[in-house]
Amino acid sequence: MSDTPSTELRTALADVAHMIEHKTWSQALERLLDLKKGHPGHPHVLHLLGVVKRETGDLRGALESLSQAVAALPDNAVFQLDLALLLKKRGTRLPAIERLTEAIRLDPGMAIARVHLGDLYMDLGRIDEAIDCFTAATRLKPGLIEAWINLGLCQKSQNRLQDAFECFENAVLRQPEHAEAHVNLALSSLMNGDYPQGWREFEWRFKLERENLLFPNLPLPRWHGESLKNRTLVLVGEQGFGDMIQFIRFAAPLAERGARVVALVPTPLMRLFESAPGVARVLNHTDFGEPIDCQIPILSLPGVLGTTIETIPATPGYLKAPEILDPALNGLLAGPGDKIGLIWSGKPLHANDPLRRRSCTPADLAPLARLPNARLFSLQKPDPAGPPPAFPDGMEVTPLDGHLNDFAATAAIMNRLDRIVTIDTAAAHLAGALGRPVATLLPCAPDWRWGNHQDHTPWYDSMRLFRQSRHDRWEEPVQQLVRELTNRV
């Protein structure tokens, strides 16, 4: 049998390719299964069948079809690429890298293969190789926006902020309606301290496929900065818990403008936000039971208010913690010593930046156990799917996770501790919002709100920042913290 399709088969395959382009998967699958009966083992039929099965979730069937197609035509770069994409989807990175490398060898001008290869290198932390892939892709195909965005993310991870900014700007110039390019440009602008451009560009987050609003379809008019006198405004929770804790401070200036402010937030934040200045009411549902005039997503507030670094509402301790009523917990926290709360882990990856690995391990924090008179307490929420934390010998830590029922409960505990040591997670924002002494350990590529060099942040007066200088290496910031605390003692 010839590997070259006949005219009739070429026409049929072109029809299937059109169906794939328009994502009419069931129709494409039915047509391909019919073609396979008349052309069993034909590599071009097997290839498209594998692509359709991959996109419809039949990964085992896709592997069989694409492997047969590649075995029949090993010099076909497109076949190698599609098998690589399947292997990537299955999480088998090294075999996927091998196939992508082969596809590029067969077709050096295949820019998209370099993008996917760069993605895999990003996942593996091989940043220099990823940069080489994305740089080559932008030269081969300048309109390939994914290459510009990922190149910018890699450069940002190396603190090459101006290079990263130019990549995101390039992406926006080439595709002005590309939401992810705008959002990355926003985060880069905020990191550089250009808050006006950052807030403006950040509005593009609502055009992303992922939705981070707590209630995305709230049927209320959006507030754009008009008078709030005698009006009721709903602040809609969005993004993560830490974002909402950071931005609830903007309720106070809204109340000063005459607004009755209702905070619509997830249940774990409700009790905590009852203490927020300017907040008249806290809800976790949209049955308001009162007339509502307008709403605004909470992270859109600084843009509407024209907030700059110099005008951040930075009232120390703008949130208040309740008293601890549990006698058992009071007993655990009683007694002398420098009581230090620890948080070492958050979500391993962020959707918008897979290079910002922010978590450490209990072992990384072990030097804190050698501080004079230190008593260590874990404020780490356990991972239900993972093993319990392993503490090195000599590191005695009192677990408090059984008492962390919501953020108000965590705040009450933080109020009884002398300081908190945490990675970049919601606990850092909570400690800062309470005005508690907090040391935040940051990765090489931190989030925009922490800036790039300074050891303090205008967002929280009581927070001190300790930064990595090498990826995934926490020795330097932890030792710096230990020296500072030792000198203080």
Side-chain angles (χ1 to χ4, degrees), residues 38-59:
H39 305 274
H42 198 290
H44 290 277
V45 174
L46 290 168
H47 165 241
L48 290 184
L49 183 59
V51 169
V52 170
K53 288 183 175 182
R54 182 190 70 202
E55 297 304 314
T56 54
D58 180 7
L59 301 189

Side-chain angles (χ1 to χ4, degrees), residues 356-384:
R356 193 165 63 83
R357 294 178 170 89
R358 56 179 180 159
S359 296
C360 61
T361 67
D364 292 318
L365 302 179
L368 294 168
R370 298 193 289 271
L371 286 167
N373 209 27
R375 293 175 61 192
L376 304 182
F377 297 85
S378 169
L379 300 178
Q380 181 70 52
K381 294 285 282 186
D383 179 1

Side-chain angles (χ1 to χ4, degrees), residues 374-430:
R375 293 175 61 192
L376 304 182
F377 297 85
S378 169
L379 300 178
Q380 181 70 52
K381 294 285 282 186
D383 179 1
F391 298 104
D393 292 341
M395 186 183 185
E396 295 185 10
V397 180
T398 302
L400 300 178
D401 55 89
H403 303 275
L404 307 177
N405 301 317
D406 63 4
F407 280 95
T410 305
I413 294 172
M414 285 183 172
N415 241 18
R416 294 284 298 277
L417 300 174
D418 294 295
R419 70 191 73 256
I420 293 92
V421 176
T422 177
I423 52 119
D424 175 13
T425 189
H429 293 278
L430 178 59

Side-chain angles (χ1 to χ4, degrees), residues 421-461:
V421 176
T422 177
I423 52 119
D424 175 13
T425 189
H429 293 278
L430 178 59
L434 293 168
R436 304 302 299 152
V438 52
T440 302
L441 305 173
L442 297 177
C444 276
D447 197 25
W448 64 266
R449 69 203 82 210
W450 311 125
N452 192 40
H453 299 294
Q454 60 271 33
D455 58 11
H456 287 83
T457 167
W459 291 95
Y460 302 111
D461 289 346

Side-chain angles (χ1 to χ4, degrees), residues 164-206:
F165 180 86
E166 289 173 4
C167 281
F168 302 139
E169 197 172 44
N170 232 318
V172 167
L173 288 171
R174 293 174 186 279
Q175 277 196 31
E177 299 300 314
H178 197 287
E180 189 176 354
H182 279 281
V183 169
N184 278 290
L185 183 60
L187 299 177
S188 187
S189 300
L190 292 169
M191 171 69 92
N192 289 331
D194 186 354
Y195 277 16
Q197 178 175 10
W199 304 132
R200 185 171 61 252
E201 293 288 342
F202 198 47
E203 290 300 295
W204 280 85
R205 69 192 183 277
F206 299 115

Side-chain angles (χ1 to χ4, degrees), residues 60 135 171 258 316 489:
R60 180 177 295 180
T135 300
V489 172

